[in-house]
Amino acid sequence: MTAQDRINEYWTGRAPAYDAYQQRPERLDADRAAWSEIWEKALPPAPLDVLDVGTGSGYVALTLAGLGHRVTGIDLSEGMLTEARRHGAELSSGPVFRLGDAVAPEFPDGSFDAIVGRYVAWTLRTPGEAVANWIRLLRPGGLVAMVDSTWFADGLDAAGFYDAEVQSLLPLAAAKSIDETALALANGGLEDVSVTPLTTIFELDNRYGVSPGHEVQMQFMVTGRRV
Ligand SMILES: C[S@@+](CC[C@H](N)C(=O)[O-])C[C@H]1O[C@@H](n2cnc3c(N)ncnc32)[C@H](O)[C@@H]1O
């Protein structure tokens, strides 16, 4: 079993609980409004062709479809895709969800105007290779937009994520600064890389709390452009 297989198994085991947490009713309306505003600001106006890598239970893909984009969400966890497809079926023009590797998505060159991902960069086995592949899939001027944080600056052990061998294979898993994620985008070949703190999410996290094993931390939108 490869390290990626073990990552996929981990997320499939967590999928129902992860999705339920994302949908918790006391926060859902405020959460949806905040994320819609964030993505509306981050991307050019709809409709764009957007790829959501590591879509999980589809939260970002569904948000972007709600903004009028044509969205494809890919993930390697069948359990997560089951949750995403369940949500997508509730919409008339929901995203398409497919099994696919965020590091090497299988689409023709120039298929997308934007490639997005939330809470995914930290768990990529080869972020540099991923960024190079995303650039190939983007049309000229296209955007990569990744939301992430320094979730495990002290290592993942305490949080109980993955086993030690898998952790050691993930270059951004224990990033101490979001600048490491920004650098991965820039080194991969993207231009105009910028980092924006997501203060509305920070406020919501403070008000409603965060999931077990996490502390409230600033999240960031990291963007870069294909010239
Ligand atoms: C923390 S979850 C984030 C899910 C979703 N993006 C969100 O915002 O809730 C990380 C997701 O990345 C997926 N993932 C990890 N490595 C991947 C890869 N190489 N290709 C595709 N998906 C991957 C996992 O299966 C999991 O669904």
Side-chain angles (χ1 to χ4, degrees), residues 4 7-8 11-12 18 22 52-60 74-78 80 100-104 117-120 122-125 161-162:
Q4 186 66 55
I7 292 172
N8 305 340
W11 287 108
T12 284
Y18 184 90
Q22 301 264 318
D52 179 26
V53 294
T55 192
S57 55
Y59 195 103
V60 173
I74 59 169
D75 205 285
L76 282 174
S77 158
E78 291 283 9
M80 283 292 206
D101 186 358
V103 173
R118 187 182 72 160
Y119 314 151
V120 170
W122 70 270
T123 185
L124 294 179
R125 58 192 190 277
F161 276 86
Y162 307 153

Side-chain angles (χ1 to χ4, degrees), residues 12 39 64 94 151 218:
T12 284
W39 286 110
L64 294 175
W151 303 114
M218 184 63 78

Side-chain angles (χ1 to χ4, degrees), residues 1-46:
M1 198 185 238
T2 66
Q4 186 66 55
D5 289 337
R6 278 158 30 218
I7 292 172
N8 305 340
E9 207 169 69
Y10 172 85
W11 287 108
T12 284
R14 279 204 59 192
Y18 184 90
D19 183 59
Y21 192 78
Q22 301 264 318
Q23 306 289 330
R24 58 198 188 283
E26 68 276 15
R27 176 167 168 163
L28 194 54
D29 287 347
D31 206 60
R32 283 185 174 155
W35 282 111
S36 290
E37 192 183 342
I38 285 164
W39 286 110
E40 200 161 25
K41 274 190 196 153
L43 298 186

